Amino acid sequence: QEKYNPQEIELKWQKYWAEKNIHKTETDASKKKFYCLEMFPYPSGKIHMGHVRNYAIGDVIARYKKMKGFNVLHPMGWDAFGLPAENAAIKHGVHPAKWTYENIGYMKKQLNRMGLSYDWQREITTCSPEYYKWNQWLFLKLYEKGLAYKKASFVNWCPSCVTVLANEQVIDGKCWRCDSEVIQKELEQWFFKITHYAEELLQGCDELKGWPERVVAMQKNWIGKSEGVEIDFPIDESDEKIRIYTTRPDTIFGVTYMCLAPGHPLSESLVKDKDKLEAIKAKYGKMEHKEGLFTGHYAINPITNEKIPIYIANFVLMEYGTGAIMSVPAHDQRDFEFAKKYGLPIKVVIMPEEPSAVNSQQSAELLKEAFEGEGVLVNSGRFSGFKNADAKKAIAKYIEDKRLGKRTINYKLRDWGISRQRYWGTPIPIIYCDRCGTVPVPEKDLPIILPENVKFTGKGGSPLLESEEFLKVKCPRCGGDAKRETDTMDTFVDSSWYFVAYCLNNSINLKSQISNLKSPLSYWMPVDQYIGGIEHAVLHLLYSRFFTRAMRDLGLLHISEPFTNLLTQGMVCKETWRCPEHDYLFPEEVKDGKCIHCGMDAEKGRVEKMSKSKKNVIDPDALIARYGADTMRLFSLFAAPPERDLEWSDKGVEGAYRFLNKIWGITKKFKIQTSEFKVQDILDLTSKLQPSSLNLLRKTHQTIKKVTDDIEKDYHFNTAIAALMELVNDMSSFIPQTDEDTYILRTAIKNSLLMLAPFAPHIAEELWEAIGEKNSIFEHQWPEWDKELAKEEEIELVVQVNGKLRAKIFVSAGLSDDDAKQRALQEQKIKELLKGRQIKKVVVVKGKLVNIVVS
Ligand code: ANZ
Ligand code: ZN
């Protein structure tokens, strides 16, 4: 008998799918659609097990939905701009484009070798001009609407390399290249006004019913709505006022100083020593090291009329509230630390209500940290004695009545800074002219192509700054000499709308879709199921939600939320190994618990996320070469539910492989025994069947029900596969004796193959062909179950108390011992008998009886 040879059959079917174009999708308004999307990868070079898991999950969903009759869109592409390509250029002298496209070529082969059902016609590569042209077009549209704008903002700056650094290039506050201290420098930057949609993005969170709660909470938190009060503090001996924002007006009697952000307009006029101001600006935003600078000026607390010193502080953000705060060291930890550092007074104005907690709060001298809890106001004039929650309202009202300020709402969400001083990104379509100022590139001149011919030295910033061919341009307004913007866009821009681009079947033309009622965008959007890593819980998902709204307002989309359901898959983990001499070891470097290099005992460490640095990685290529893609897919789906972490186990992989061999063996063995027997009516047949046959028939239908339910309910592939394995076990121990028996077994085989197909598509196709089917298994419908046959068989269970028969109950045949015990104990008659007596022991004899032993 023929052996299961995964290499051979997998390549055969991959070729078949490609030649028959089986994964191609057409827009078809007469069909129900399902848009299944996995987060597209960065083409770093090779796929890793994290990708394998992500894409295996997506592929099962896509293939399953197709068998359920949906018109499925399942595309793939490349998040191809970004820093690593540029670093490779600096290090190895390869052009970023070459590096990127070579990686894409290799990774695409790897994905195809996994047997993923992508419609490659719709492939997107974000670094291609056909794609980034539309980044530029969207930028111009946002610019027209005032949703893209320029302002000064701080960036990481290495004074010795004279260049801007991305956050990833700042390591422990130092430059990654030269190790010198990184400072904050103010530069003009482009922003997208995501705050325009802050409230809508927040409200929309309540609609995200198909998202993990944790992710929704992270989105809300990031938007960070807070309600507070703006209050004007007059500057002493001046006509100017400082407007502050606080969420704690109840603490206003405890204000002992105030702080401005280094970039606050008043900072310039209040601080004489410009060097000192520059020094604190360079440390802007570093929350761990709070630094301040006394301005020499004072302000007046408008409620108490106390005179308080004005400081500049690096932890006060210009982008939040009003860029100025009133400082209450007794009740705010940051203010407390600052006050201790600069010897500023601390005044307690809130006491905890429980007397036991009061002692340490009584005097400012005794405070070891700020008291940020709830309590009652003290030292607060006419508001003393108020509960602080009430005082918040009362004081806010008082401030409004006296016209000292007003209630406001603030969001933590900042506008999205998209300027990057990098080469490998989308050029921002802006031209600077000495006469006309900032001029947007006319639509007809798009795309602005990234010049190929540039030098990568790694010194002095973006190579675009030195590219004459790129820089020099005629002003579109006056025709005079002008200069191009050299900043490129944050690569998160690319990934904020790629899911929209896939719908356009690789002839991306957004403009033609405006107000187009028959647009494929209105058919395919939103994405029905999005699958990806939790690391994107905030930025990528928020930016995509923002872009979807912006595109809606441009008349491109008819929806507001891009992703109806979101699945964040868990990590792939594996134990680590180290040896005293060679530190972390690859799995191949450990033999019989010893390091193969030095023979010393290797120590097994914790199970951790697979990573190159810990060397606890498995190479997908090697795994496929050994077991085939179907085994790799099956294992990664079977070992844990999708949203949980998955622990790698060689035994588990072996188990998956054995299972595939088993189903292979049974199918091959029984495929030729044709039976002339034809069923007219399954139920009519059941009365004539042997009990063993009837059981297998029942089991088949029960399994179809269970597998379908598990997939439908949160994609519980692990339990679905387990059920399928059980059925296959029953099939292998079944010995058909009559034609009817053979028929029942073949029914079981056929249905197992259909259920196996989304998980292990190649072997399913091969065996499908072996049982004489002519078309691809994926053109067949997902199996249905018969309600009667899928019913769990009921059996009678005897319940004894101290060995005496006391009751009989009916339970389903497959009931676990624990559940049988619970059912027996809950039986009314038994409950009464047990009243007041102590249960010593409960004995369960599976399928027969439960005996309760009492004193
Ligand atoms: C006085 C006060 C007393 C504050 C107290 C807190 C506790 P949330 O709730 O996160 O919105 N703040 C305001 N603007 C700021 C800025 N630009 N940079 C840094 N901090 C700023 O935070 C609001 C609180 O953060 C405000 O309330 C203010 O400090 C501070 F016992 O005012 B509070
Ligand atoms: Zn001009």
Side-chain angles (χ1 to χ4, degrees), residues 109-164:
K109 275 205 193 107
Q110 287 187 301
L111 296 186
N112 279 328
R113 187 58 192 82
M114 276 184 70
L116 302 168
S117 61
Y118 299 127
D119 178 0
W120 283 112
Q121 273 193 131
R122 296 172 184 262
E123 177 179 8
I124 278 169
T125 309
T126 58
C127 65
S128 73
E130 296 78 47
Y131 185 80
Y132 69 67
K133 170 182 179 179
W134 298 100
N135 274 346
Q136 294 171 339
W137 183 81
L138 285 164
F139 177 96
L140 293 175
K141 291 288 156 199
L142 293 179
Y143 183 75
E144 271 170 32
K145 289 190 153 242
L147 292 173
Y149 67 96
K150 204 173 188 192
K151 74 170 179 197
S153 133
F154 286 93
V155 292
N156 301 312
W157 180 261
C158 173
S160 100
C161 300
V162 212
T163 184
V164 178

Side-chain angles (χ1 to χ4, degrees), residues 605-802:
R606 284 196 303 152
V607 175
E608 290 182 71
K609 178 184 175 181
M610 280 189 184
S611 77
K612 270 192 207 138
S613 62
K614 303 252 164 76
K615 300 196 174 176
N616 58 341
V617 286
I618 294 285
D619 175 17
D621 285 347
L623 200 68
I624 288 181
R626 179 143 180 219
Y627 296 100
D630 281 339
T631 295
M632 178 172 81
R633 295 168 54 121
L634 194 69
F635 169 73
S636 68
L637 295 160
F638 173 62
E643 67 283 0
R644 295 277 194 80
D645 285 355
L646 175 159
E647 189 184 335
W648 192 265
S649 124
D650 296 334
K651 276 209 189 103
V653 177
E654 283 284 346
Y657 187 62
R658 254 184 281 121
F659 166 68
L660 291 180
N661 271 291
K662 197 180 243 176
I663 196 164
W664 176 274
I666 301 171
T667 311
K668 289 280 176 174
K669 190 164 162 201
F670 289 102
K671 65 166 201 227
I672 14 105
Q673 296 192 9
T674 45
S675 140
E676 289 309 308
F677 187 81
K678 289 259 182 306
V679 256
Q680 302 304 321
D681 179 351
I682 284 194
L683 288 177
D684 184 42
L685 171 72
T686 54
S687 56
K688 296 182 204 141
L689 288 178
Q690 301 289 322
S692 63
S693 282
L694 184 57
N695 277 344
L696 184 60
L697 185 62
R698 276 188 189 285
K699 184 78 182 178
T700 304
H701 283 262
Q702 285 163 358
T703 307
I704 298 172
K705 178 173 187 320
K706 166 113 178 103
V707 170
T708 311
D709 287 351
D710 283 355
I711 295 178
E712 291 287 338
K713 190 180 152 278
D714 297 334
Y715 303 122
H716 275 164
F717 303 135
N718 57 327
T719 51
I721 294 169
L724 194 54
M725 288 175 166
E726 254 187 57
L727 174 62
V728 172
N729 277 339
D730 284 9
M731 281 155 48
S732 26
S733 53
F734 181 79
I735 303 163
Q737 266 138 12
T738 63
D739 273 357
E740 286 94 329
D741 288 354
T742 308
Y743 175 79
I744 299 293
L745 179 58
R746 298 193 67 208
T747 308
I749 290 174
K750 188 169 169 180
N751 282 303
S752 317
L753 295 179
L754 286 167
M755 288 187 274
L756 182 67
F759 303 102
H762 312 87
I763 189 173
E765 285 275 33
E766 179 70 19
L767 295 176
W768 190 247
E769 187 184 57
I771 63 170
E773 296 286 344
K774 292 285 172 288
N775 294 324
S776 163
I777 194 167
F778 297 100
E779 281 162 32
H780 199 283
Q781 287 287 307
W782 184 256
E784 304 274 344
W785 67 89
D786 179 276
K787 266 204 193 123
E788 276 305 311
L789 288 170
K791 253 195 204 152
E792 286 281 343
E793 202 191 334
E794 297 243 302
I795 53 160
E796 198 182 53
L797 213 56
V798 166
V799 186
Q800 301 176 332
V801 177
N802 286 349

Side-chain angles (χ1 to χ4, degrees), residues 431-437 439 474-482:
I431 291 167
Y432 299 108
C433 166
D434 283 343
R435 268 160 296 179
C436 313
V439 184
K474 295 287 177 212
C475 168
R477 284 216 185 122
C478 70
D481 285 342

Side-chain angles (χ1 to χ4, degrees), residues 21-27 59 72-77 108 112 116-124 502 505-506 524:
N21 237 327
I22 232 157
H23 306 313
K24 190 175 142 185
T25 308
E26 303 288 0
T27 303
D59 201 52
V72 173
L73 176 56
H74 188 216
M76 187 35 85
K108 189 168 172 180
N112 279 328
L116 302 168
S117 61
Y118 299 127
D119 178 0
W120 283 112
Q121 273 193 131
R122 296 172 184 262
E123 177 179 8
I124 278 169
Y502 283 136
N505 210 0
N506 207 15
W524 288 113

